[in-house]
Amino acid sequence: MENGELLQTNSLSNIRGDEKNIILLFFLYTLQGIPLGLSAAIPMILQNRGVSYKQQAEFSFVSWPFSLKLLWAPLVDAIFSTRIGRRKTWLIPTQYLIGGFMLLLSGHVDQWLGGNGTQPNIEILTLLFFCLNFLAATQDIAVDGWALTMLKKRTLDMPPHAIAWDRQQYLRAVPSKEGIVTLPGFLYFWGWVFLISTTVVALVKKETEPHDPDHVIIHDRDIKTAYISLREIMKLRAIQILVVILLTCKIGFSSTDSVMTLKLVEAGIPKERLGLIAVPLIPVQLAMPLIIAKYTTEEQTKKRAAKIIQNYLVAIRSRGIFNHLKKTLYSLSKKDPVKLLRPLDIFLKAIPYRLLFGFVAAFLVWITPTLVPDATEGLPFLYVTFLIICYVLHQVCVYCMFVSIMAFFAKISDSKVGGTYMTLLNTVTNLGGNWPGILALYFVDPLTWKKCEGGVESIDNACRNTVEKDLCISKGGKCVTTLDGFYIETAICSVIGFLWLLWGSRKIRYVQSLDESAWKLSKRKQER
């Protein structure tokens, strides 16, 4: 049997008996993506309502629960009702609350988003979506834990990849300003889906703790032990260096990642068109993790090394020197092939390209008003092509860094501490992207240079605040941007990024050179 056929047969047999559980988990993870997708869409809606970038920075705090869930994850693992189930104790109430929040939002979201002469209520939107994401993060903790005991070990060993997407445009014969599904309607529909599906899961799906060798057995851990493990992990010198790297490595990309899309919306590109760009990106998003995994995971690296050695042995056998080199090649095959290509090598190589992409993004924003003077008449083919190429390049860089850093985490994590190790590293990684993004949004307005043109009393009016803007307009003038703060910010971030690379490359090579023992907790600490 060919290797491809054998792999396909093994993959199908791995999930045998877990089909229904996989469908349930897929559905639960899809529900989790609804609040996240809404939180990502709201900033583009707000951009069309004239909010400032400082207000965008304020709203961006709604994504923080997923970066901080490590703080209450031990509580979710340790506190539960044995009658209801370890995971359902948290899953059921959180999903009911998410459904309730969505129904509440469906009746007031248009009012809070502003429009028709009213300003968006950023404070209430931030509070509600923060709570919504807090509940979604808690649901994520429960579902992740339930997956460990619900699925068999052989199914867990398979790396799942799923992408869910939805598009509503171009279903009408006559265009309309509103989509077929409005935001209140979307919230109302999914609010009831949460409530009904949660009731079905609560009544139908029984949660049992496995005690057989085919499943992962989760041992009870008290809250104190979990937090002590976190403290001991943070005391490791190698972890301290890695945390600093993770918290600072994304500063150079923060302007591009956080501001570019909003600037395109501000330039007149419809948010629906930007959403459609995700469709041709789906093959890239599917292929990139699989391609990069071949060069970052230990198993794949060993297979490649073994294949190279096998081919070399076959080649030299015909030359009559097989016996002479057999010992040498056998010795080489016993070495760890992962050291020949370390996961973070790809991470390092992607950073300069991602930093340079910042200038491409700035050029894209700058050229947009010229190539697309009126987006209501459609987007030129040349511009759409350039836009898709830019997004593809950006996704390639992002996935190169993401997959390689995840592979490194999997390699260094101490399995005896459970999921605490990986969760800590993932949390720090998320924080490393969140805090620079907030600052990038906050400083766009202060770095932007404007002036009042036309009208009377326009001299010395730099449109620095709402009062000066209103004064300019009341006198018949117009606030005109002379230098967009996005370009200044992109240049500053790029300089910081390249300076960081000089320091970070040395530190990354250092942490990759450390022995496995540098990442492990001592036996005494693990048994505490």
Side-chain angles (χ1 to χ4, degrees):
M1 184 178 291
E2 296 294 330
N3 291 337
E5 296 176 356
L6 180 62
L7 288 173
Q8 185 177 6
T9 304
N10 290 339
S11 298
L12 293 174
S13 61
N14 279 346
I15 66 173
R16 189 167 297 160
D18 272 336
E19 293 88 351
K20 293 181 179 179
N21 291 332
I22 291 174
I23 293 173
L24 174 61
L25 289 171
F26 180 81
F27 178 71
L28 292 176
Y29 280 121
T30 300
L31 290 182
Q32 179 193 126
I34 302 301
L36 291 174
L38 286 169
S39 300
I42 292 298
M44 290 194 285
I45 298 175
L46 291 173
Q47 195 68 15
N48 285 333
R49 306 295 169 91
V51 302
S52 67
Y53 283 93
K54 289 183 180 180
Q55 290 175 307
Q56 291 279 16
E58 181 182 338
F59 184 80
S60 67
F61 275 102
V62 302
S63 63
W64 279 62
F66 273 88
S67 299
L68 300 175
K69 64 181 180 179
L70 176 67
L71 299 179
W72 67 92
L75 300 177
V76 177
D77 288 334
I79 301 175
F80 59 92
S81 168
T82 54
R83 185 173 64 88
I84 300 175
R86 180 191 293 264
R87 307 303 174 186
K88 287 172 65 177
T89 298
W90 292 90
L91 179 70
I92 303 305
T94 53
Q95 292 202 165
Y96 273 133
L97 288 171
I98 291 174
F101 264 100
M102 286 190 168
L103 292 178
L104 172 65
L105 281 167
S106 68
H108 301 85
V109 68
D110 279 342
Q111 174 188 347
W112 292 330
L113 282 172
N116 298 323
T118 61
Q119 292 296 317
N121 193 331
I122 300 298
E123 291 74 19
I124 191 68
L125 286 172
T126 302
L127 176 62
L128 288 175
F129 275 94
F130 184 91
C131 294
L132 197 62
N133 280 340
F134 174 82
L135 293 170
T138 305
Q139 187 253 25
D140 179 50
I141 298 169
V143 175
D144 284 346
W146 201 2
L148 290 175
T149 57
M150 187 187 299
L151 300 177
K152 296 176 182 179
K153 289 181 180 179
R154 63 174 181 263
T155 307
L156 290 171
D157 290 337
M158 298 178 61
H161 300 283
I163 292 180
W165 53 278
D166 172 66
R167 292 292 174 264
Q168 306 174 42
Q169 198 179 11
Y170 308 123
L171 297 179
R172 284 195 178 102
V174 180
S176 173
K177 291 183 178 179
E178 282 193 344
I180 289 179
V181 179
T182 63
L183 182 57
F186 182 87
L187 287 164
Y188 186 81
F189 170 78
W190 282 104
W192 279 110
V193 169
F194 266 94
L195 296 180
I196 295 172
S197 62
T198 303
T199 303
V200 173
V201 171
L203 296 176
V204 176
K205 181 63 178 179
K206 303 297 181 183
E207 182 180 0
T208 58
E209 293 292 332
H211 299 285
D212 57 275
D214 290 336
H215 291 80
V216 175
I217 299 176
I218 305 296
H219 301 284
D220 291 340
R221 298 184 68 199
D222 60 87
I223 300 173
K224 182 179 178 181
T225 301
Y227 286 109
I228 288 176
S229 296
L230 285 175
R231 185 186 65 186
E232 297 299 336
I233 293 172
M234 287 301 300
K235 286 184 178 180
L236 295 174
R237 176 61 178 167
I239 288 293
Q240 292 173 356
I241 297 174
L242 182 59
V243 165
V244 175
I245 292 173
L246 295 175
L247 287 176
T248 57
C249 66
K250 296 180 182 177
I251 296 176
F253 328 126
S254 57
S255 177
T256 302
D257 293 350
S258 302
V259 184
M260 181 188 73
T261 301
L262 298 178
K263 280 295 177 183
L264 292 176
V265 173
E266 182 183 330
I269 305 300
K271 55 186 181 297
E272 297 83 4
R273 300 296 181 90
L274 291 176
L276 279 172
I277 297 297
V279 176
L281 292 181
I282 291 177
V284 178
Q285 293 169 336
L286 284 172
M288 286 304 298
L290 300 175
I291 294 172
I292 300 169
K294 293 183 178 181
Y295 300 94
T296 56
T297 59
E298 180 174 354
E299 186 65 27
Q300 292 292 337
T301 308
K302 287 182 177 179
K303 287 180 180 179
R304 284 200 317 279
K307 188 68 176 178
I308 292 172
I309 293 171
Q310 180 183 1
N311 292 340
Y312 190 46
L313 288 173
V314 172
I316 63 176
R317 183 180 300 173
S318 60
R319 299 178 184 178
I321 56 175
F322 175 74
N323 292 329
H324 180 69
L325 294 178
K326 182 177 180 180
K327 292 184 179 180
T328 304
L329 291 171
Y330 179 78
S331 176
L332 175 62
S333 68
K334 301 300 287 184
K335 294 182 179 180
D336 184 8
V338 177
K339 293 182 179 179
L340 302 177
L341 182 60
R342 301 173 295 182
L344 292 186
D345 289 346
I346 295 179
F347 183 89
L348 271 177
K349 291 178 180 178
I351 290 178
Y353 294 101
R354 194 169 173 185
L355 290 172
L356 291 173
F357 177 78
F359 297 104
V360 177
F363 176 75
L364 174 64
V365 172
W366 177 76
I367 202 67
T368 293
T370 303
L371 294 181
V372 191
D374 187 2
T376 59
E377 298 179 358
L379 303 182
F381 177 77
L382 178 63
Y383 179 81
V384 173
T385 303
F386 182 50
L387 189 63
I388 293 176
I389 292 174
C390 288
Y391 272 85
V392 168
L393 292 175
H394 183 254
Q395 289 295 304
V396 169
C397 294
V398 168
Y399 272 85
C400 282
M401 296 182 65
F402 174 75
V403 177
S404 60
I405 198 69
M406 290 299 111
F408 184 69
F409 290 169
K411 179 182 177 182
I412 66 175
S413 294
D414 191 343
S415 58
K416 294 180 181 178
V417 193
T420 305
Y421 212 114
M422 280 288 284
T423 306
L424 171 63
L425 295 175
N426 288 329
T427 297
V428 175
T429 301
N430 291 334
L431 286 175
N434 283 344
W435 75 264
I438 289 177
L439 292 181
L441 288 168
Y442 182 85
F443 282 106
V444 171
D445 286 334
L447 292 173
T448 298
W449 292 68
K450 295 183 178 181
K451 66 178 181 179
C452 182
E453 288 186 353
V456 295
E457 299 183 12
S458 61
I459 301 176
D460 296 331
N461 188 340
C463 296
R464 288 181 291 265
N465 50 50
T466 305
V467 175
E468 291 188 354
K469 291 178 182 177
D470 292 341
L471 177 62
C472 176
I473 295 173
S474 65
K475 299 298 182 179
K478 180 181 179 182
C479 288
V480 177
T481 300
T482 57
L483 180 59
D484 198 316
F486 171 63
Y487 306 130
I488 300 175
E489 199 171 78
T490 299
I492 293 174
C493 288
S494 298
V495 171
I496 294 174
F498 280 109
L499 291 175
W500 181 93
L501 188 59
L502 297 176
W503 170 86
S505 58
R506 295 195 299 270
K507 292 299 181 181
I508 288 175
R509 293 188 182 97
Y510 170 73
V511 296
Q512 284 202 117
S513 66
L514 294 175
D515 189 76
E516 286 189 3
S517 60
W519 305 98
K520 308 299 182 184
L521 296 179
S522 65
K523 184 177 180 181
R524 178 181 62 83
K525 291 178 180 177
Q526 292 172 358
E527 293 176 349
R528 247 181 218 175

